[in-house]
Amino acid sequence: MKVAITSTGDSLDSKLDERFGRCSFFVVYDTESKSTEFIPNPNKEAENGAGPASVQVVASRNVSKIVSGEFGMKIKSLVDSLQIQMIVVKEPKTIREIIQMLNH
Amino acid sequence: MSPRIKKPRKVVNPPPIKGFKPYGPDLVMAGKEPVLMHFEEYEALRLCDYDMYNHHQASAAMGVSRPTFTRIYASARQKVAKAFAEGRQISIDGGKVYFDSDWYSCKSCKCYFNNPQKDVQITQCPLCGSDKVLSCDVETDCLDAENERCADFCVCVGCGYEVLHNHGKPCNHYVCPQCGKRMTRKQKSN
């Protein structure tokens, strides 16, 4: 199972990005092979429509969960119809901490 | 010509009950049909009179236009009044709606998550695996963000000075503090 996490940087020690559509990097973590992949977000500076475009980026990697600090109105219904689970984390956590939690 | 198809209305918070029953002398209530209230009418009443949103904000939350929202709300009030005045039951059902998914919160890692597969029961937190999960209410944060988006501004045609619009006060009653011209409502880009 793959999980997408929004990140502010391209290392495991960077913080979770609070925004989904305009985050700096997506971390795709595979819970079976324990591998991580960092994808720079092409929609970081987008004027509008960053959310749906970002959903496409992560949906093309076949993720089944997305961890972020917030999801906008447009994204919620889209992600819901793709049957991807949204996880909202309000506390500042690093990517490493989140990956540890996912390995519970 | 067939009429335009109704847009589906978004219901974030389905009612916790199926309806209401009056109590009192059985003679009054006997043999009366219940009043059928739609989910969208319930949601309109909840947004307006329980969450205290104005029609503009509430219409954005339900994904319909402001006039449509006002019509749904008027119909809801009429049905509630009818049930009160005639001693009828209220049955909440039907309507052209779609439900936003259920949201849960985890007590141990303090995260929120939704359940995209509605037929599967949630017993574990998807993040930390703890079983201290609670079904939680509407994500109020998202509604706040929606409010910001649909806020109105008064703008000065002369110098472009902007101020948050005060509901119920026409913009042209205000004078720009910088150049003394009358203000007008800012046109939305979308």
Side-chain angles (χ1 to χ4, degrees):
Chain A
M1 187 186 63
K2 284 182 177 174
V3 185
I5 309 164
T6 57
S7 166
T8 49
D10 59 354
S11 80
L12 286 176
D13 292 313
S14 42
K15 287 259 191 299
L16 178 85
D17 204 314
E18 284 173 18
R19 300 155 306 169
F20 173 74
R22 291 182 179 80
C23 70
S24 307
F25 286 88
F26 290 110
V27 186
V28 176
Y29 176 68
D30 194 326
T31 48
E32 273 133 42
S33 66
K34 313 275 181 211
S35 63
T36 52
E37 182 192 357
F38 287 86
I39 309 164
N41 186 0
N43 314 302
K44 198 188 171 195
E45 310 290 339
E47 278 275 306
N48 47 28
S54 300
V55 171
Q56 274 194 341
V57 172
V58 290
S60 65
R61 300 294 200 284
N62 284 327
V63 298
S64 55
K65 290 176 186 173
I66 302 174
V67 185
S68 184
E70 200 181 320
F71 293 93
M73 275 287 184
K74 278 186 204 161
I75 309 170
K76 271 185 165 178
S77 50
L78 187 62
V79 174
D80 212 32
S81 60
L82 289 169
Q83 303 243 317
I84 299 174
Q85 187 169 42
M86 289 174 273
I87 303 172
V88 181
V89 180
K90 292 284 179 199
E91 289 170 355
K93 285 196 166 77
T94 62
I95 304 301
R96 198 186 296 276
E97 282 172 336
I98 288 170
I99 288 177
Q100 275 169 4
M101 284 163 86
L102 283 167
N103 286 331
H104 55 262
Chain B
M1 220 164 74
S2 57
R4 180 170 291 199
I5 296 159
K6 271 187 189 170
K7 270 193 181 176
R9 295 87 163 88
K10 184 163 93 187
V11 174
V12 184
N13 221 1
I17 38 97
K18 286 186 169 175
F20 287 95
K21 266 187 177 176
Y23 73 96
D26 290 342
L27 280 174
V28 181
M29 298 169 330
K32 281 183 179 166
E33 288 281 306
V35 175
L36 182 69
M37 183 180 242
H38 291 159
F39 281 117
E40 69 240 36
E41 290 164 340
Y42 162 82
E43 179 78 350
L45 270 187
R46 194 185 67 84
L47 287 171
C48 257
D49 294 334
Y50 183 75
D51 287 342
M52 305 302 282
Y53 285 56
N54 63 36
H55 287 197
H56 200 157
Q57 295 162 330
S59 66
M62 277 178 72
V64 292
S65 74
R66 210 276 310 140
T68 303
F69 177 84
T70 303
R71 280 194 296 275
I72 297 171
Y73 178 69
S75 151
R77 290 186 76 145
Q78 214 229 323
K79 285 182 179 178
V80 170
K82 185 178 178 187
F84 279 10
E86 298 179 7
R88 287 175 192 263
Q89 296 179 21
I90 299 176
S91 153
I92 305 175
D93 203 7
K96 185 153 186 183
V97 293
Y98 68 95
F99 296 100
D100 209 1
S101 60
D102 303 337
W103 282 81
Y104 299 85
S105 67
C106 169
K107 270 190 148 178
S108 105
C109 64
K110 298 198 175 56
C111 71
Y112 299 89
F113 53 93
N114 75 335
N115 180 11
Q117 276 130 3
K118 292 191 169 61
D119 44 341
V120 181
Q121 194 94 33
I122 293 268
T123 51
Q124 269 199 334
C125 170
L127 191 59
C128 65
S130 123
D131 54 3
K132 290 181 195 155
V133 289
L134 280 177
S135 179
C136 78
D137 274 359
V138 46
E139 279 245 294
T140 39
D141 292 10
C142 305
L143 280 177
D144 288 345
E146 195 68 23
N147 285 351
E148 246 169 62
R149 193 185 63 79
C150 66
D152 280 337
F153 289 95
C154 310
V155 66
C156 170
V157 279
C159 64
Y161 173 82
E162 277 181 29
V163 68
L164 196 66
H165 173 71
N166 198 351
H167 277 282
K169 289 260 184 166
C171 305
N172 61 7
H173 286 196
Y174 295 101
V175 168
C176 173
Q178 288 179 4
C179 58
K181 279 187 182 156
R182 293 262 167 207
M183 310 278 281
T184 179
R185 188 75 66 90
K186 189 183 181 188
Q187 293 297 315
K188 294 242 170 89
S189 51
N190 49 352

